[in-house]
Amino acid sequence: MERYLRRLPAGSWPAGLPGSGPLWRADVFAVAASWRRGSASARDLTVAALLWGFGPTAYGPHRTERILAADPDGTRLARGLEPLRADELTKETLQAAYVSFRRGQSAYVRGLGPAFFTKLIYFAGYRRGRGGVQPLILDKVVAGRLPVSAGPARRSSWGWRSADWIAYLQWAASTAQDPRFDGEPERVEMALFAGTARLGQ
């Protein structure tokens, strides 16, 4: 965390985010809750998600700095995330958010590919305890462990279509009905990332 603090522009550290020690999903969700209340910006949420996603990698601070510089006032990030403030999110809203972050679209930020903008959409839009189709992270690790029945082809991270992501969300919602996941689709994603569960063919 200290390496990020040294590299990020002054004033860009989200209020309440730890400055040392481990960074947990719960910490990022706390920033997301502040964003939904209007007391944190889309840029704050992006910083928290990037720090959590890059973690201790050597290139994390540099890439975070570069992504923030590509949208210095956070206008594009705010545009893409705004629809996710709604209390109830439809499949169509989620798909539109995904599309908005793609290259050439209104919320596109250079350096922020699907593996990371799905993290943003996840933290902004996931509602625990509700089940059903929920936004989830789709990166190369998760995609590489998805069964064929889940939808996304094992393309590069820039190649996933919004329809691939939605098919994955629908599959995860269905798979979450397994008692191992207690109705929470994010637990399916976590199991895929960790490689701790065999899920389909």
Side-chain angles (χ1 to χ4, degrees):
M1 301 289 276
E2 292 83 358
R3 291 187 304 118
Y4 287 93
L5 276 166
R6 289 196 298 269
R7 292 290 296 268
L8 297 185
S12 63
W13 197 263
L17 199 69
S20 62
L23 184 64
W24 303 100
R25 288 191 192 220
D27 296 316
V28 186
F29 273 119
V31 177
S34 295
W35 167 76
R36 283 196 296 276
R37 292 192 301 268
S39 55
S41 67
R43 186 178 167 89
D44 289 334
L45 178 53
T46 302
V47 169
L50 290 172
L51 266 60
W52 177 83
F54 284 128
T57 58
Y59 53 78
H62 170 70
R63 289 195 182 175
T64 299
E65 186 180 34
R66 189 175 64 182
I67 289 167
L68 295 177
D71 185 26
D73 61 0
T75 301
R76 288 178 170 271
L77 294 165
R79 188 180 298 134
L81 293 177
E82 185 60 32
L84 303 173
R85 288 185 193 272
D87 192 52
E88 296 289 337
L89 298 176
T90 66
K91 181 176 67 176
E92 291 74 23
T93 299
L94 294 174
Q95 188 163 11
Y98 186 101
V99 169
S100 75
F101 281 104
R102 296 304 303 261
R103 189 184 299 273
Q105 301 300 314
S106 63
Y108 171 71
V109 176
R110 185 176 177 82
L112 194 67
F116 269 88
F117 71 63
T118 57
K119 290 178 176 67
L120 264 182
I121 296 172
Y122 161 69
F123 284 114
Y126 197 93
R127 305 292 188 265
R128 285 177 172 160
R130 299 191 186 181
V133 174
Q134 296 265 12
L136 297 172
I137 297 164
L138 181 61
D139 59 18
K140 289 181 180 179
V141 174
V142 172
R145 293 175 177 162
L146 283 171
V148 173
S149 59
R154 294 181 182 180
R155 300 183 178 97
S156 71
S157 60
W158 286 101
W160 297 315
R161 302 168 303 163
S162 62
D164 294 326
W165 187 60
I166 293 297
Y168 157 53
L169 302 188
Q170 292 174 312
W171 171 83
S174 175
T175 303
Q177 300 312 305
D178 184 311
R180 292 176 293 173
F181 306 115
D182 199 29
E184 288 287 0
E186 70 173 351
R187 295 188 181 182
V188 177
E189 178 261 309
M190 292 175 191
L192 285 165
F193 187 85
T196 56
R198 184 175 179 82
L199 300 170
Q201 300 298 318

